[in-house]
Amino acid sequence: MSLNPRLVKESFSEIEPVMGKAVAYFYGRLFAESPHLRGLFPPAMDVQRDRLFGALTRVVWSLDSLDGLRCYLGQLGRDHRKYGVIAEHYTAVGNALLATIRRFAGDGFTPEVEAAWAAAYTAAANMMIEAAEADAGTSPAWWTAEVVDHETRAPGVAVLTLRPGAPFPFTPGQYVNVQTSRWPRVWRTYSIANAPRRDNTLRLHVRAVPGGWVSTTLVSRTRVGDALLLGPPVGTMAPPGGDNPRNVLCVAGGTGLAPLKAVIEHVIASGRRPNIHLLFGARTAAELYDLGDLIRMEAEYPWLRVVPVVSAEPAYDGMRGTLPGAVRRFHSWTEHEVYVCGPPAMVSETVRLLEDDGVPPSRIHRDPVRDP
């Protein structure tokens, strides 16, 4: 079967307006036909449904670029190992997906459309399976990590230091899925807040989100000595290469600081000396939870400039306003490598302003929205 991205995209456009119902039907169909698969999923499916919609949307609109799709799906396939997914499961998922497209595409579901979806799913599944099988020969499906330090930095914000029981290779800027013993099968993503260390430890910056099962557990109920499960590191927000001569701008909102701090640590450790501007924003000064450590880094590395930005404290004696507004107060950033992480609205507005200023999109690095 050959790929036909046009037919897949056209039929997907018909389904998008009712995607919520379609995703619910998909999981209902999957669990009815393969009830043994229900145990691979968390008790509450809301986040899982959002993840499926996001992944499906990305795959559909990337079918014209198989190289980029292969990278994304390979990472997804490797990451799915932590759920216990094996090659045989992909057949059941594909059958449920085709049944869902058939039900919601209406009169537009022709034999040609069915063949196009079958070919697209087969190609995507094969990429995921191949990546997972290759990874199985070199890496575990998950790591057990001990909490060796737990520090409350601000109301609802904690910094955790973890020591995985086996080497945990990652690239600065990546994030990791975390599972607690309190919530089995519930995985949430958190950025790694440091560059790789000789002692194999890593840090997470966690903000407790209202209704967030894992984030609340990590902030309020986790203690030194507790064990967590870690999935493989994922994400593509890598630090600049050794031959990159550009200066660096980092724009961090709240705990979005974590991956950017890892990138900055990597640049410092590399011995390069680019100028680095870090704009670190929060609503109040009390929420600038890592400012003390950032000031220490600034003192040790003269080419780093840390600019705290506070948006909702009129008496704050420093730069006040939003992070996008702070970005505009400086000179043009067109010659910089830029990293942005934080609340989605802030990230989108900052990226828009930078692109309007002439920064090429290829030099603006960000990662997808995290789960609570």
Side-chain angles (χ1 to χ4, degrees):
M1 294 183 291
S2 60
L3 288 178
N4 191 327
R6 179 183 62 82
L7 287 180
V8 173
K9 293 176 183 179
E10 288 176 354
S11 57
F12 187 72
S13 296
E14 295 295 321
I15 298 171
E16 275 189 300
V18 293
M19 186 54 69
K21 293 181 179 179
V23 171
Y25 177 86
F26 164 80
Y27 280 114
R29 181 86 179 217
L30 176 64
F31 297 151
E33 295 182 347
S34 305
H36 62 286
L37 295 183
R38 182 62 181 91
L40 301 180
F41 294 85
M45 292 291 292
D46 50 345
V47 172
Q48 188 64 36
R49 293 189 183 101
D50 292 342
R51 283 178 170 176
L52 174 67
F53 175 56
L56 188 58
T57 300
R58 180 166 181 174
V59 170
V60 166
W61 297 111
S62 302
L63 285 174
D64 293 309
S65 178
L66 283 181
D67 288 340
L69 194 57
R70 185 178 300 278
C71 179
Y72 169 68
L73 288 172
Q75 179 173 273
L76 205 60
R78 290 187 292 272
D79 185 57
H80 275 38
R81 292 179 58 219
K82 71 179 186 293
Y83 297 110
V85 174
I86 57 177
E88 289 78 2
H89 296 156
Y90 285 90
T91 299
V93 171
N95 291 338
L97 178 62
L98 283 176
T100 302
I101 303 301
R102 183 183 302 111
R103 180 179 179 88
F104 288 90
D107 295 338
F109 191 79
T110 64
E112 291 76 18
V113 170
E114 182 174 16
W117 272 97
Y121 178 76
T122 299
N126 285 341
M127 292 179 192
M128 294 177 68
I129 292 169
E130 290 168 5
E133 290 178 345
D135 191 59
T138 58
S139 299
W142 61 81
W143 285 255
T144 301
E146 179 187 0
V147 179
V148 295
D149 190 49
H150 185 287
E151 182 182 355
T152 300
R153 291 285 185 85
V157 177
V159 174
L160 286 72
T161 304
L162 313 179
R163 180 178 288 115
F168 187 82
F170 67 93
T171 300
Q174 287 190 303
Y175 54 95
V176 63
N177 284 274
V178 178
Q179 178 182 283
T180 69
S181 59
R182 187 180 182 88
W183 298 110
R185 305 194 310 280
V186 179
W187 296 84
R188 295 293 183 264
T189 55
Y190 298 96
S191 292
I192 301 170
N194 58 277
R197 297 171 172 175
R198 291 183 178 179
D199 64 1
N200 197 39
T201 60
L202 55 93
R203 279 190 165 183
L204 306 180
H205 295 182
V206 183
R207 179 182 299 278
V209 178
W213 296 359
V214 176
S215 64
T216 301
T217 297
L218 291 175
V219 171
S220 302
R221 298 186 177 93
T222 299
R223 302 290 182 265
V224 171
D226 287 352
L228 305 174
L229 291 185
L230 307 179
V234 290
T236 58
M237 192 165 61
D243 58 349
N244 190 325
R246 297 187 184 90
N247 293 324
V248 178
L249 167 66
C250 294
V251 184
T255 53
L257 170 68
L260 307 192
K261 188 177 181 183
V263 168
I264 292 171
E265 280 192 9
H266 173 83
V267 172
I268 292 175
S270 72
R272 294 177 55 232
R273 295 183 177 182
N275 291 319
I276 304 173
H277 278 78
L278 169 61
L279 306 185
F280 176 34
R283 293 183 67 259
T284 67
E287 294 176 89
L288 296 170
Y289 65 92
D290 205 40
L291 191 56
D293 201 38
L294 294 175
I295 291 174
R296 178 193 59 77
M297 291 174 65
E298 186 178 37
E300 294 178 357
Y301 185 78
W303 295 271
L304 170 63
R305 181 182 179 189
V306 177
V307 183
V309 182
V310 169
S311 63
E313 189 176 328
Y316 177 67
D317 186 20
M319 184 173 289
R320 298 192 300 272
T322 66
L323 279 170
V327 168
R328 282 187 296 189
R329 294 184 202 180
F330 289 83
H331 56 78
S332 172
W333 303 104
T334 54
E335 298 304 316
H336 284 65
E337 204 76 24
V338 182
Y339 296 81
V340 187
C341 194
M346 181 280 290
V347 171
S348 296
E349 178 63 10
T350 300
V351 170
R352 185 189 66 81
L353 289 173
L354 290 166
E355 290 180 345
D356 288 347
D357 186 43
V359 181
S362 62
R363 295 214 301 269
I364 303 175
H365 309 277
R366 57 176 172 172
D367 259 330
V369 180
R370 302 288 182 272
D371 303 320

